[in-house]
Amino acid sequence: MARLLPGTRALRTLEAAARHLNFTRAADELGLTPAAVSHQIKEIEDQLGIVLFTRTSRTIRLTEAGAVLFEAATDALDLLGRAVSRAHKVARGTALLKVTLDAQFATKWLMRRVDGFRKHQPDIELRFDISYEVRDFDLDDVDIGIRFGTGKYPGLCADRLFDNVIIPVCSPALLRAGPPLKEPRDLFHHTLAHIEWARQGVTWPNWRMWMAAAGVDDFDDSRTMVFGTSSDVVQAALDGNAVALADFAMVANDLSEGRLVRPFELGIKVAPEFAYFLVYPKSAAHDPRIVAFREWLLDEVAKTPT
């Protein structure tokens, strides 16, 4: 019977082809050619003596037997992936803690403070997974993470870190070069930058919203620079190319060290249900590494200006 079972690579091909019902899209996902996908599916069918897909000149669809194997392949790959993740964690021992977080939080907040943790906990080695993708603690080789969201994550503990207040910032050079910024309408003479982000009916504060809060009701946002990530917006301000709307906590060091200035005090809070959260599996809540990192991080958050 073992000789009749397709290997892991074949199962991945079967799963992708059945999910897309298109060999070309499956090939793009797997880094193969459509012909290679078709060949692998035919090999599985020949090996098992079962027709998995019915083919026409333009479409493919699963047979009833193919649907049974698709469901089983999906479950098997998921189970194997979770086992591999656990095996990695077991193999690397208890001295290593892997933290997942996005680039903005890493560069603008955490990395400036992480030496303090290493001095406080020299027996714990930190490694970082820098990504805007949300990792799965069961499937990915990570132990603890920092996420922006609502904090409602089934199976996870979530500690709220700090509220997000969005403020205008620019480089001192831009402020010196002019035109002057004495009142909000003076911003019309500058390039303005913000991010575009919306989730669950909540929109990240943009320049139209900031101007409305400042009492400016005739603002034309057609000439603003819109970025996909906060780090790009902040960099535009640091480079002197724009006045940017940025998260105060993420630019607090740039402000205190003089790389950025705050031309106006007005800030807008992000909807209160959204914030940065420290997240980790409930099953690992008493892991000494996680306990130590959590206590240190929350202490650092308490020291952060608001």
Side-chain angles (χ1 to χ4, degrees):
M1 178 62 69
R3 287 180 296 175
L4 293 176
L5 296 177
T8 303
R9 181 176 299 179
L11 288 179
R12 291 191 182 280
T13 302
L14 169 61
E15 189 277 335
R19 177 162 36 86
H20 290 292
L21 289 178
N22 184 290
F23 287 170
T24 299
R25 287 198 291 270
D28 289 341
E29 178 181 311
L30 297 169
L32 301 172
T33 65
V37 170
S38 179
H39 179 71
Q40 286 190 29
I41 295 299
K42 185 64 168 61
E43 281 191 335
I44 299 171
E45 290 178 324
D46 291 343
Q47 180 183 358
L48 299 177
I50 299 172
V51 176
L52 302 176
F53 295 88
T54 57
R55 302 158 173 85
T56 68
S57 59
R58 294 185 177 181
T59 64
I60 63 170
R61 60 187 179 84
L62 282 167
T63 64
E64 187 174 351
V68 170
L69 281 182
F70 169 47
E71 182 179 356
T74 301
D75 291 343
L77 291 170
D78 179 72
L79 181 62
L80 184 59
R82 294 174 190 276
V84 169
S85 175
R86 291 197 301 273
H88 274 297
K89 291 174 183 177
V90 169
R92 59 180 163 84
T94 59
L96 178 65
L97 183 71
K98 295 191 75 171
V99 185
T100 180
L101 69 166
D102 66 47
Q104 167 80 353
F105 198 98
T107 58
K108 290 298 180 183
W109 198 88
L110 186 63
M111 295 307 178
R112 297 171 179 268
R113 297 166 170 80
V114 77
D115 281 348
F117 177 82
R118 289 178 170 135
K119 292 176 182 177
H120 183 61
Q121 298 286 345
D123 294 331
I124 300 177
E125 179 186 354
L126 291 179
R127 289 188 188 171
F128 300 99
D129 169 66
I130 309 298
S131 175
Y132 284 102
E133 294 184 11
V134 175
R135 301 305 192 193
D136 185 324
F137 289 102
D138 288 334
L139 290 173
D140 299 309
D141 186 22
V142 294
D143 300 301
I144 193 168
I146 296 167
R147 293 182 185 174
F148 184 81
T150 63
K152 298 176 181 178
Y153 308 116
L156 301 182
C157 298
D159 295 303
R160 189 184 185 96
L161 299 184
F162 34 63
D163 295 326
N164 302 86
V165 180
I166 310 307
I167 62 169
V169 295
C170 65
S171 73
L174 183 145
L175 199 62
R176 290 192 299 268
L181 291 173
K182 295 182 179 179
E183 60 180 49
R185 299 184 71 86
D186 292 335
L187 288 163
F188 288 14
H189 305 296
H190 289 268
T191 299
L192 305 179
H194 62 84
I195 68 167
E196 189 173 81
W197 182 94
R199 190 178 299 171
Q200 299 179 21
V202 174
T203 300
W204 190 270
N206 54 39
W207 275 110
R208 179 175 290 279
M209 296 164 65
W210 189 91
M211 289 290 183
V216 178
D217 56 9
D218 59 343
F219 173 64
D220 177 10
D221 64 359
S222 63
R223 297 178 61 186
T224 57
M225 296 172 62
V226 180
F227 292 90
T229 67
S230 298
S231 56
D232 289 334
V233 172
V234 173
Q235 193 60 52
L238 289 167
D239 291 342
N241 297 325
V243 182
L245 285 179
D247 186 343
F248 177 79
M250 297 298 105
V251 295
N253 286 97
D254 292 312
L255 291 168
S256 65
E257 295 168 10
R259 288 183 294 274
L260 291 175
V261 293
R262 186 175 179 176
F264 301 103
E265 288 299 310
L266 176 64
I268 302 178
K269 285 189 176 182
V270 177
E273 61 266 35
F274 284 90
Y276 276 108
F277 289 87
L278 179 69
V279 295
Y280 46 93
K282 290 180 179 178
S283 59
H286 300 295
D287 184 320
R289 299 165 304 158
I290 288 178
V291 171
F293 187 79
R294 175 184 179 274
E295 290 178 350
W296 169 80
L297 187 72
L298 293 180
D299 185 58
E300 289 297 314
V301 166
K303 300 174 185 176
T304 300
T306 59

